[in-house]
Amino acid sequence: MRALIISHQKELYYLYNLETQETVPAKARGKFRLIGTNPKVGDYVEYQMMDDNTAYIVDVEKRHNDLIRPYIANVDQALLLFSVKRPDFNPNLLDRFLAIMTFNNIPCVIIYTKWDLLNEEEQKEMLKICEYYRSIGFPYLAFSTKVPSPNDLDDIKAVIKGKISVITGQSGVGKSSLINCLAPHLNIKTAEISLALGRGKHTTRHVELIPMYDGWVADTPGFGIVDFDSMDEMDLAHSFVEFFEASSECRFNSCLHQNEPGCAVKDKIGTTILPSRYENYLLFLDEISKLRKW
Ligand code: ZN
């Protein structure tokens, strides 16, 4: 039987049977430990019921992506929440998330909140930025306030439908308001699962998938740390999608768009490439080269 792992605590996995829609507690067979791929939340698995009525995971399907922080596989998309004011829009953090998600093959949808805190002029400027990101492959929603309106909620329900999503954002941008609006039942559910798993205080690394509107949203504590520890300079260059596209015209294949002659990316800054994207790229490049000196 095929199932999705929605929660995991020590030896016990909680599976969602994709056919019967039942939740089944299960154990993993010892062989996974031998081959070094323990099943994790987000995995699609095959399981069997044994004579003693215990379910065992017998196979894990190939992952289409695999994150360490949060510890989850097969994420279909990341919803990145950013307020446009209070706290001010943070393009550095946005570019950081976009690069890391792109590197991990995870599409992103940006949700801008608190739009109404901007005056008309500022809204025009912000709209240009939103449209820029959309033009390079990152669609967006814009919420007037921190708490989504009924219309906003309809938009986001359409976005999460049928997918596994992770939601992330700085504090104060409206992440908890959004999750509460999406899942008013959440507190009860979480408590139930927690009880069932005998979950104690060790919740910091714990990830679980919460059913929301025909999709799954990962409740991911500890998503705050975002660094480039598994990427090298070229990975970063390839993870800035519009740079990667332009780089086919760079003179050198290995161009990192710093001081190389004949760089097509540098030529496009301020015309088709947003200058803040390039500034952040250089900062990240520096960060990665420092990390790699260790
Ligand atoms: Zn270049």
Short mmCIF file of all heavy atoms in Angstrom, two decimals, residues 2 42-45 59-65 73-74:
data_model
loop_
_atom_site.label_atom_id
_atom_site.label_comp_id
_atom_site.label_asym_id
_atom_site.label_seq_id
_atom_site.Cartn_x
_atom_site.Cartn_y
_atom_site.Cartn_z
N ARG A 2 0.45 2.26 -0.75
CA ARG A 2 1.27 3.45 -0.91
C ARG A 2 0.81 4.52 0.09
O ARG A 2 -0.39 4.72 0.29
CB ARG A 2 1.13 3.96 -2.33
CG ARG A 2 2.10 5.05 -2.70
CD ARG A 2 2.10 5.28 -4.22
NE ARG A 2 3.03 6.35 -4.53
CZ ARG A 2 2.63 7.57 -4.89
NH1 ARG A 2 1.36 7.86 -5.01
NH2 ARG A 2 3.54 8.51 -5.14
N GLY A 42 7.57 13.43 4.33
CA GLY A 42 7.53 13.82 2.92
C GLY A 42 7.81 12.66 1.98
O GLY A 42 7.52 12.74 0.79
N ASP A 43 8.34 11.58 2.51
CA ASP A 43 8.62 10.41 1.67
C ASP A 43 7.33 9.71 1.28
O ASP A 43 6.41 9.56 2.09
CB ASP A 43 9.49 9.40 2.43
CG ASP A 43 10.98 9.63 2.20
OD1 ASP A 43 11.34 10.11 1.10
OD2 ASP A 43 11.77 9.33 3.11
N TYR A 44 7.30 9.27 0.03
CA TYR A 44 6.24 8.37 -0.42
C TYR A 44 6.78 6.96 -0.26
O TYR A 44 7.88 6.66 -0.72
CB TYR A 44 5.87 8.66 -1.88
CG TYR A 44 5.19 9.99 -2.04
CD1 TYR A 44 5.93 11.14 -2.39
CD2 TYR A 44 3.84 10.13 -1.80
CE1 TYR A 44 5.31 12.37 -2.50
CE2 TYR A 44 3.21 11.35 -1.92
CZ TYR A 44 3.95 12.47 -2.27
OH TYR A 44 3.34 13.69 -2.37
N VAL A 45 6.00 6.13 0.44
CA VAL A 45 6.51 4.80 0.79
C VAL A 45 5.51 3.72 0.45
O VAL A 45 4.32 3.97 0.23
CB VAL A 45 6.84 4.72 2.31
CG1 VAL A 45 7.87 5.76 2.69
CG2 VAL A 45 5.58 4.87 3.15
N ASP A 59 9.44 0.03 1.42
CA ASP A 59 10.16 0.67 0.32
C ASP A 59 9.93 2.19 0.37
O ASP A 59 8.87 2.64 0.80
CB ASP A 59 9.67 0.12 -1.02
CG ASP A 59 10.71 0.28 -2.11
OD1 ASP A 59 11.85 0.69 -1.78
OD2 ASP A 59 10.40 0.01 -3.27
N VAL A 60 10.95 2.92 -0.06
CA VAL A 60 10.85 4.39 -0.11
C VAL A 60 11.05 4.82 -1.55
O VAL A 60 12.03 4.42 -2.19
CB VAL A 60 11.93 5.05 0.78
CG1 VAL A 60 11.82 6.57 0.72
CG2 VAL A 60 11.79 4.57 2.22
N GLU A 61 10.15 5.63 -2.08
CA GLU A 61 10.30 6.09 -3.46
C GLU A 61 11.40 7.13 -3.56
O GLU A 61 11.71 7.83 -2.60
CB GLU A 61 8.97 6.70 -3.95
CG GLU A 61 7.89 5.64 -4.12
CD GLU A 61 6.54 6.24 -4.53
OE1 GLU A 61 6.49 7.37 -5.06
OE2 GLU A 61 5.52 5.56 -4.29
N LYS A 62 11.96 7.25 -4.76
CA LYS A 62 13.03 8.22 -5.01
C LYS A 62 12.52 9.64 -4.70
O LYS A 62 11.40 9.99 -5.07
CB LYS A 62 13.43 8.13 -6.49
CG LYS A 62 14.73 8.82 -6.81
CD LYS A 62 15.09 8.53 -8.28
CE LYS A 62 16.43 9.16 -8.64
NZ LYS A 62 16.43 10.62 -8.66
N ARG A 63 13.34 10.41 -4.01
CA ARG A 63 12.93 11.77 -3.63
C ARG A 63 13.18 12.75 -4.77
O ARG A 63 14.21 12.65 -5.44
CB ARG A 63 13.75 12.22 -2.42
CG ARG A 63 13.45 11.39 -1.19
CD ARG A 63 14.44 11.63 -0.07
NE ARG A 63 14.08 10.79 1.07
CZ ARG A 63 14.92 10.40 2.02
NH1 ARG A 63 16.18 10.80 1.98
NH2 ARG A 63 14.51 9.64 3.01
N HIS A 64 12.28 13.71 -4.98
CA HIS A 64 12.61 14.73 -5.98
C HIS A 64 13.29 15.95 -5.36
O HIS A 64 13.84 16.79 -6.06
CB HIS A 64 11.45 15.08 -6.92
CG HIS A 64 10.26 15.71 -6.27
ND1 HIS A 64 9.12 15.00 -5.98
CD2 HIS A 64 10.03 16.95 -5.85
CE1 HIS A 64 8.24 15.79 -5.42
NE2 HIS A 64 8.76 16.98 -5.32
N ASN A 65 13.28 16.04 -4.05
CA ASN A 65 14.20 16.94 -3.35
C ASN A 65 14.27 16.49 -1.90
O ASN A 65 13.46 15.69 -1.45
CB ASN A 65 13.82 18.43 -3.50
CG ASN A 65 12.43 18.73 -3.01
OD1 ASN A 65 12.07 18.39 -1.88
ND2 ASN A 65 11.62 19.35 -3.86
N ALA A 73 11.38 15.76 2.88
CA ALA A 73 11.63 15.42 1.47
C ALA A 73 10.42 15.78 0.62
O ALA A 73 9.32 15.98 1.12
CB ALA A 73 11.92 13.93 1.35
N ASN A 74 10.66 15.86 -0.69
CA ASN A 74 9.58 16.00 -1.68
C ASN A 74 8.68 17.21 -1.50
O ASN A 74 7.46 17.13 -1.68
CB ASN A 74 8.71 14.72 -1.68
CG ASN A 74 9.51 13.50 -2.05
OD1 ASN A 74 10.37 13.56 -2.93
ND2 ASN A 74 9.26 12.40 -1.38
#
